[in-house]
């Protein structure tokens, strides 16, 4: 098939409202993939926020009109990145993800450039240690924050916990952590040795791996603290961000309150925040 350059593609394809162009796609398992797309020149966001993205739905059988299918997606790239990255689950019968998983470089997606969210540094009071608690694709906003210089300027230690069912589902996070530790640009932006502050604690609940178990169970038993050589969470030193499925969010929220931490917000910073818009 003859190659067509970008301007010709743009003329031949009807432009979607708030359209951006997919630049890269990578699939990890039959359930997970990531993609990158162009960034609107006017878009400003804080690392950890989300936007609405999607595709046009099928034409209405009676009117022929199409409506956009939109869903909240955390931006996985940091605020300084020239492109936008998203990490997504594939739902076989999902109205959006059943189609979104088939996008290819050059395709267009809809991106509403109005970022919002609670997983931002502004919603937390100053502390010494920052915990990121994620399940599944809930690691996406932390992928943004882990590449944000402020994360390392504000904290002496950053601990990422990521719980998935199977080992393959940890690939995105594992590669991200490895890339951050080797990233010369980040070292230049943040300062040499910044990655020494970063701790990574992946666990699986179904397939055998070096560390098995739900993070909440490992916290109750004290195993995670013993493994990392740190004290249990305390409101004096620890701050936390949570992003995962609804049951996980509710469970760990209760646990964090038990440690004495108070939920914060953009308007009233405190010791922890939970992303309520995300459901894995």
């Amino acid at each position: 098939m003859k190659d067509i350059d970008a301007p010709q593609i743009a003329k031949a394809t009807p432009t979607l409202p708030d359209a951006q162009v997919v630049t890269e796609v990578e699939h990890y398992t039959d359930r997970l993939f990531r993609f990158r797309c162009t960034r609107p020149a006017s878009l400003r966001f804080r690392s950890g926020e989300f936007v609405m993205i999607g595709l046009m739905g099928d034409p209405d059988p009676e009117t022929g009109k199409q409506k956009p299918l939109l869903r909240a997606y955390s931006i996985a790239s940091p605020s300084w990145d020239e492109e936008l990255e998203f990490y997504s689950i594939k739902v076989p019968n999902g109205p959006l993800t059943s189609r979104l998983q088939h996008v290819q470089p050059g395709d267009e997606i809809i991106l509403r450039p109005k970022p919002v969210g609670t997983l931002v540094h502004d919603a937390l009071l100053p502390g010494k240690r920052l915990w990121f608690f994620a399940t599944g694709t809930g690691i996406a906003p932390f992928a943004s924050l882990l590449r944000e210089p402020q994360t390392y300027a504000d904290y002496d230690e950053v601990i990422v916990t990521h719980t998935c069912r199977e080992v393959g589902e940890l690939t995105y996070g594992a590669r991200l952590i490895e890339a951050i530790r080797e990233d010369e640009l980040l070292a230049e932006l943040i300062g040499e040795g910044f990655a020494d502050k970063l701790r990574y604690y992946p666990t699986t609940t179904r397939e055998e791996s070096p560390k098995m178990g739900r993070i909440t169970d490992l916290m109750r038993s004290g195993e995670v603290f013993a493994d990392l050589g740190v004290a249990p969470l305390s409101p004096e030193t620890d701050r936390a961000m949570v992003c995962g499925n609804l049951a996980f969010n509710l469970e760990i929220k209760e646990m964090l309150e038990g440690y004495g931490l108070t939920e914060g917000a953009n308007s009233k910073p405190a010791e922890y925040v939970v992303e309520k818009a995300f459901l894995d």
Side-chain angles (χ1 to χ4, degrees), residues 1-277:
M1 180 176 174
K2 184 179 178 182
D3 288 334
I4 305 175
D5 60 31
Q8 289 175 308
I9 292 174
K11 289 178 182 176
T13 307
T15 301
L16 300 177
D18 296 315
Q20 296 301 317
V21 179
V22 175
T23 59
E24 183 184 341
V25 182
E26 183 176 8
H27 294 264
Y28 297 98
T29 71
D30 58 358
R31 294 183 68 247
L32 297 166
F33 73 108
R34 75 170 179 94
F35 65 93
R36 291 174 68 84
C37 69
T38 54
R39 174 176 177 168
S42 61
L43 178 63
R44 298 290 181 270
F45 69 94
R46 294 174 296 175
S47 292
E49 290 187 314
F50 66 87
V51 289
M52 302 298 290
I53 67 172
L55 299 167
M56 292 302 290
D58 294 326
D60 183 282
E62 294 183 3
T63 65
K65 292 184 177 179
Q66 291 177 282
K67 291 183 179 180
L69 294 170
L70 300 172
R71 179 177 174 233
Y73 269 79
S74 292
I75 302 172
S77 46
S79 60
W80 50 264
D81 201 323
E82 293 180 354
E83 292 187 336
L84 299 176
E85 180 172 301
F86 298 97
Y87 183 46
S88 178
I89 193 170
K90 306 174 190 179
V91 181
N93 299 314
L96 176 59
T97 60
S98 61
R99 299 172 58 185
L100 191 63
Q101 65 180 293
H102 299 297
V103 294
Q104 299 291 328
D107 291 348
E108 288 185 340
I109 63 162
I110 302 168
L111 189 149
R112 295 282 163 82
K114 295 180 181 178
V116 290
T118 56
L119 300 182
V120 292
H121 287 303
D122 294 343
L124 293 178
L125 294 170
K128 293 184 178 180
R129 182 184 298 122
L130 177 61
W131 294 78
F132 291 143
F133 294 107
T135 63
T137 53
I139 197 171
F142 305 143
S144 174
L145 286 157
L146 284 167
R147 290 177 278 189
E148 175 59 54
Q150 185 181 349
T151 301
Y152 304 93
D154 287 358
Y155 298 92
D156 298 331
E157 194 170 17
V158 180
I159 300 174
V160 186
T161 81
H162 191 201
T163 300
C164 295
R165 295 183 302 177
E166 300 170 356
V167 174
E169 296 171 350
L170 294 169
T171 304
Y172 176 80
R175 288 182 183 172
L176 171 71
I177 298 294
E178 183 180 357
I180 288 172
R181 287 177 172 152
E182 298 175 352
D183 195 315
E184 294 179 1
L185 173 60
L186 281 178
E188 190 175 316
L189 276 172
I190 303 168
E192 292 292 342
F194 81 95
D196 294 340
K197 295 183 175 184
L198 181 56
R199 312 283 300 278
Y200 177 49
Y201 196 83
T203 74
T204 57
T205 57
R206 185 176 297 177
E207 185 180 358
E208 188 172 345
S209 70
K211 179 58 63 175
M212 299 283 295
R214 299 165 72 243
I215 190 64
T216 46
D217 291 338
L218 296 168
M219 290 168 70
R220 287 192 189 92
S221 70
E223 192 171 337
V224 61
F225 307 119
D227 288 343
L228 293 170
V230 299
L233 282 80
S234 116
E236 287 72 38
T237 56
D238 294 274
R239 302 293 175 260
M241 294 187 178
V242 181
C243 192
N245 60 63
L246 181 59
F248 171 75
N249 285 358
L250 293 173
E251 182 181 9
I252 203 158
K253 176 181 166 75
E254 184 177 346
M255 291 184 70
L256 293 174
E257 300 269 345
Y259 287 116
L261 277 66
T262 303
E263 186 170 6
N266 280 280
S267 57
K268 189 178 180 182
E271 288 87 41
Y272 81 90
V273 285
V274 178
E275 186 51 84
K276 298 178 179 66

